[in-house]
Amino acid sequence: MARAFDVQEIEQKWQRLWADEGSYQVDADDPRPAQYVLCMYPYPSGPAHQGHVRNYTFGDLLVRHRTMQGFGVLSPFGFDSFGLPAENAAIRTGTHPRTFTEERIAELKASVVALGAVYDWRREIRSHDPSYMRWNQVIFLRLLEAGLAYRAMAPVNWCPGCQTVLANEQVLTDGTCERSGDVVIQRDLEQWFFRITSYADELLADLETLDWPERVKSMQRNWVGRSEGVEFDLQVVGHGPEGGIMKVFTTRPDTSFGMTYAVVAPEHPLVDIITTDAQRAAVDEVRTSAARVTEHERMSTEVEGQSLAKRGAFTGGYVVNPFTGKEIPVYVADYVLMRYGTGAIMAVPAEDERDWDFAHAYGLPVVRTTRPPEGFEGKAWTGDGLKENSGFLDGLDVATAKERAIEWLETAGLGRRTVNYRLRDWLVSRQRFWGCPIPIVYCLDHGAVGVPEDQLPVLAPDDVEFLPTGESPLTRHPTFRHTTCPVCRGPAVRETDTMDTFVDSSWYFLRFCDPWSEDRPFDPAAAEHFMPVDQYIGGIEHAILHLLYARFYTRALIDVGLAPGVPREPFRRLFTQGMIRLDHKKMSKSKGNLVAPTKYFDTVGADALRLFHLFAGPPAEDMDWSAQTEEIIEGCARFLDRVWRLTVETGDTSWRDGGPNQSDVALSRSVHRLIAKVSEDMERWSFNTSVAACMEFTNELRRYRGDDAGVHRPTYDAAADALLLLLAPMTPHMTAEAWERRHGAGARLHAQSWPSYDPDLARAERVTMIVQVNGKLRDRIEVNPDIDESEAIALALASQRVREELQGLEPTRIVARPPRMVNIVR
RNA sequence: GCCCGGAUGGCGGAAUGGUAGACGCGGGGGCCUCAAAAGCCCCUGUCCUUCGGGGCGUGUGGGUUCGAAUCCCACUCCGGGCACCA
């Protein structure tokens, strides 16, 4: 399509100028009030895709808008450059992951620049850069000193496809790896963990203070999974009080009188002690089969359908229910998990569905302790009701009975109130090469010892062989592993695991505040100046993983003294953009359904593509890339052509001398209304309606210019300038060029202040009052906006249409909302 | 099962209790042109119409209200999260 201006020339010119003039460089001593606008730093996977474009268009709009509003806006960019794809590429092609990654970074950076997004590039971070790795490792050691990092043997999620362990957060609900799709299996390995569970309560409670999407907060709440209850002791029959105590956790102590049996996890240490010879074979079978399947299979409901009988067994042992004093049988079953609570439960079949099913499969007694509502036909009743068959709890409601039961247990010295979490500690070890090495050496005498800070960063050697073995290539390197113990100088071996790349992304936003620091991760004063991030923008896919880890890490850094003065919540406002779908699937590189932005840069231009993303719909909602999309993008380009003709090609306009006439005043009023509308819409992220308002105004301006009476130049110029100022954050190249042509060489649109408006002028001069009869629209009357109620009613009753409807009858009621509406009720 | 979203013309969407469908795409008609492209102008929910206008219409069924796409109750369908977590 033939364009009104040379798109590519103009876009490249301004991209160069923004970089050369350092227009968006901001320092910690900037006198303007600080704002921190950040898009989640990307994994460099090659040229930008439409998801990036959408993300950075929103971010760039905010940066430019807030800069025009007078803020010193910190807008940094970086790359989450460690990660699996680069290493897999190395195994496939032999190219070193660094080479591969740096090529992808160059591609992504080029397309971000081509989009016209502006950043303080002096602050660029790459997580594989030794200067970043060094502080990543220093932080690890500080967490170790503070007891927030530890090493433990643990059953871990092992992905056969990725040949590494995964964090719980990386295993999908169907038990597969989020990356490879392989079924994740359990293995016991010595691994490094971060003690995120110490912060469980705080991470949960502080969610309430955040201006985040409710959806994300609710996902994090679910993930932390707090449940309040009580932990108490059951005496094992035939064993002394020393050896024979079985601890159970319950959230329903009010149901204790209905505890007719108990269940322990197959891995529970008591199993060996209480199992009788007669039952040993059956118990062993349960234990073996539980160990064989994945945790997910063990938890899945399909197994339940097969046969409950194979999933549990009587141990032959008994414990005493302290509430009833009765002996009850102890079963072993795989539905009880060793890692949650105490690994043992009291079973109350009448008030718990799993216990009900199990009790019925094994013929165990059921005693109701909560009276279900009249006519309840179901199995277990888990709702509220009056207690029965419950001794001193009889007649109480569930909540009160819980309290009494806990008090009784505490008084008797049998138990204590406690809280359990679903959240596990964060497993950070990865058996991969392309990540930040864990800075630890192992000495026979001194165990795991941190590498001294003056020897950091620990860098992996380049001369390694990439093979799909499941171990880091570092383990087979001839020299890397062998070192000396920092304590005794004796021989020691290095840790060859690297850190989860989510560690890198858990503090990069802090490093951005001061990426130049050479003696600490960042200057706390600079971090205090910019933090928290005022607006964080990214995809919903990070709702749990990255956002939870970063919240934890910020707190940990404050608590180990590295970030004094920094707020504990790093991201004040979060915006999660909708994803882009093609053929009902998420558009992504791995699905191979990308529509590359590059072709649009080369044709309609970045401005038109940006405008499309802003105009297409609400930013938070998913968007379908459809057959119509190309046509809408063309429409956006056409709109920009019209703006160009109206603001730059004003040569053949017939200017008129003298003062403003009626239509000039009307146009000025429209300008003020437009500024008001766009300003408000930007604040509430309603970019699609901002664009629509500008389009509407452009139509009006075009009609005004075509007026036979001639055009009043000052009025016209003010309108054209206002339009360019309002579009400046959305379509920066074309508007910057138009501004310079209107105001002379060196004029800079984006250095202008955001336009203000006069509320009196922004009010419409005449408004359309609607007149309803019985709530149905019957007439429209043009009225003065400050018309009062009696005038409005008089006008409405005088209406010909209304008189016809009334047919001489007196209205029974009149509701007037001047100047918008009068409703006459017959 | 529980929790969070969502459903409006042919399509993307707008409307924060007061004109449903702004704006754009697509479609139809016209102007300009030798012609085309570009540009410009008009029409475009649906049914009825004596061409004045009228009926119907925001997933379904109720309710509140002078008035409901919007608020409440009960559903249906779609998307997402959590789920033998005691």
Side-chain angles (χ1 to χ4, degrees), chain A residues 283-465:
Chain A
V283 167
D284 282 347
E285 199 182 324
V286 173
R287 294 168 90 182
T288 325
S289 77
R292 211 175 40 233
V293 299
T294 68
E295 178 164 299
H296 177 258
E297 281 171 339
R298 191 167 143 183
M299 292 297 113
S300 75
T301 37
E302 279 101 77
V303 183
E304 189 179 343
Q306 271 174 22
S307 164
L308 263 177
K310 284 198 170 163
R311 306 185 58 204
F314 179 41
T315 59
Y318 290 83
V319 292
V320 178
N321 177 343
F323 288 81
T324 60
K326 287 183 184 157
E327 294 185 3
I328 56 171
V330 178
Y331 279 71
V332 57
D334 68 357
Y335 79 81
V336 174
L337 307 174
M338 194 56 220
R339 63 161 176 75
Y340 188 82
T342 59
I345 62 161
M346 65 174 213
V348 186
E351 278 97 28
D352 182 286
E353 279 159 22
R354 291 152 304 167
D355 295 346
W356 174 281
D357 291 338
F358 193 85
H360 280 258
Y362 289 84
L364 292 156
V366 178
V367 178
R368 283 208 191 276
T369 74
T370 311
R371 180 170 302 155
E374 285 298 317
F376 175 69
E377 299 275 327
K379 303 167 175 178
W381 170 247
T382 56
D384 200 2
L386 297 183
K387 302 307 297 182
E388 58 187 13
N389 303 318
S390 292
F392 65 92
L393 300 176
D394 277 353
L396 300 174
D397 61 50
V398 166
T400 315
K402 271 187 193 175
E403 282 306 308
R404 293 286 162 77
I406 294 173
E407 283 162 22
W408 184 82
L409 284 166
E410 288 185 331
T411 311
L414 290 170
R416 59 185 181 91
R417 196 183 294 272
T418 171
V419 177
N420 260 303
Y421 298 93
R422 211 187 74 94
L423 183 71
R424 301 289 95 197
D425 274 338
W426 175 12
L427 194 167
V428 296
S429 305
R430 293 293 180 275
Q431 290 71 49
R432 304 302 308 202
F433 172 82
W434 192 236
C436 184
I438 293 172
I440 295 290
V441 298
Y442 299 98
C443 165
L444 277 177
D445 293 327
H446 298 95
V449 183
V451 175
E453 282 194 23
D454 58 11
Q455 293 172 30
L456 298 180
V458 174
L459 296 175
D462 279 353
D463 55 336
V464 291
E465 243 190 313

Side-chain angles (χ1 to χ4, degrees), chain A residues 665-685:
Chain A
V665 172
L667 185 76
S668 298
R669 285 176 167 274
S670 295
V671 170
H672 284 264
R673 262 202 310 282
L674 177 69
I675 296 169
K677 167 82 177 154
V678 173
S679 301
E680 283 161 21
D681 285 357
M682 288 238 184
E683 294 303 329
R684 62 187 182 102
W685 282 69

Side-chain angles (χ1 to χ4, degrees), chain A residues 499-707:
Chain A
M499 297 184 215
D500 182 0
T501 56
F502 279 109
V503 177
D504 310 337
S505 56
S506 287
W507 68 284
Y508 76 104
F509 44 90
L510 289 162
R511 178 76 181 171
F512 271 147
C513 297
D514 173 31
W516 302 284
S517 235
E518 288 184 357
D519 54 350
R520 51 196 168 175
F522 48 85
D523 172 15
E528 193 178 346
H529 176 74
F530 289 116
M531 289 295 288
V533 175
D534 294 283
Q535 182 67 64
Y536 200 31
I537 308 167
I540 187 75
E541 65 273 19
H542 292 110
I544 298 173
L545 293 166
H546 163 59
L547 290 168
L548 192 65
Y549 291 149
R551 294 179 65 221
F552 154 67
Y553 223 63
T554 302
R555 286 169 169 77
L557 290 179
I558 294 166
D559 292 346
V560 302
L562 287 171
V566 169
R568 293 178 82 77
E569 281 295 348
F571 314 122
R572 202 163 59 81
R573 291 186 72 190
L574 170 71
F575 186 85
T576 49
Q577 70 195 65
M579 66 184 185
I580 299 171
R581 286 180 309 226
L582 185 66
D583 304 328
H584 307 291
K585 289 191 293 280
K586 181 185 175 172
M587 195 184 268
S588 75
K589 192 170 191 184
S590 57
K591 295 200 173 61
N593 60 352
L594 292 183
V595 177
T598 326
K599 74 167 192 181
Y600 299 100
F601 297 155
D602 296 342
T603 55
V604 294
D607 280 341
L609 185 61
R610 290 169 63 120
L611 194 65
F612 162 74
H613 278 281
L614 295 170
F615 185 54
E621 280 170 32
D622 290 351
M623 183 180 83
D624 282 302
W625 197 273
S626 71
Q628 201 187 18
T629 300
E630 296 290 334
E631 285 160 346
I632 300 175
I633 295 173
E634 292 282 326
C636 289
R638 271 201 297 275
F639 167 71
L640 293 177
D641 282 345
R642 269 179 231 132
V643 174
W644 180 267
R645 284 190 219 102
L646 284 169
T647 56
V648 178
E649 297 170 2
T650 52
D652 58 352
T653 313
S654 54
W655 303 115
R656 168 174 58 73
D657 292 328
N661 64 20
Q662 225 178 358
S663 66
D664 299 328
V665 172
L667 185 76
S668 298
R669 285 176 167 274
S670 295
V671 170
H672 284 264
R673 262 202 310 282
L674 177 69
I675 296 169
K677 167 82 177 154
V678 173
S679 301
E680 283 161 21
D681 285 357
M682 288 238 184
E683 294 303 329
R684 62 187 182 102
W685 282 69
S686 183
F687 305 135
N688 53 337
T689 55
S690 298
V691 176
C694 290
M695 287 176 168
E696 215 171 343
F697 179 77
T698 303
N699 292 337
E700 188 182 339
L701 187 61
R702 197 168 40 177
R703 278 194 295 275
Y704 170 81
R705 184 157 80 156
D707 196 333

Side-chain angles (χ1 to χ4, degrees), chain A residues 14-23 64 116 118 732-733 736 750:
Chain A
W14 287 97
Q15 285 157 18
R16 215 176 310 117
L17 274 173
W18 291 324
D20 292 349
E21 295 179 357
S23 324
R64 293 177 181 273
V118 282
H733 308 89
H750 293 90

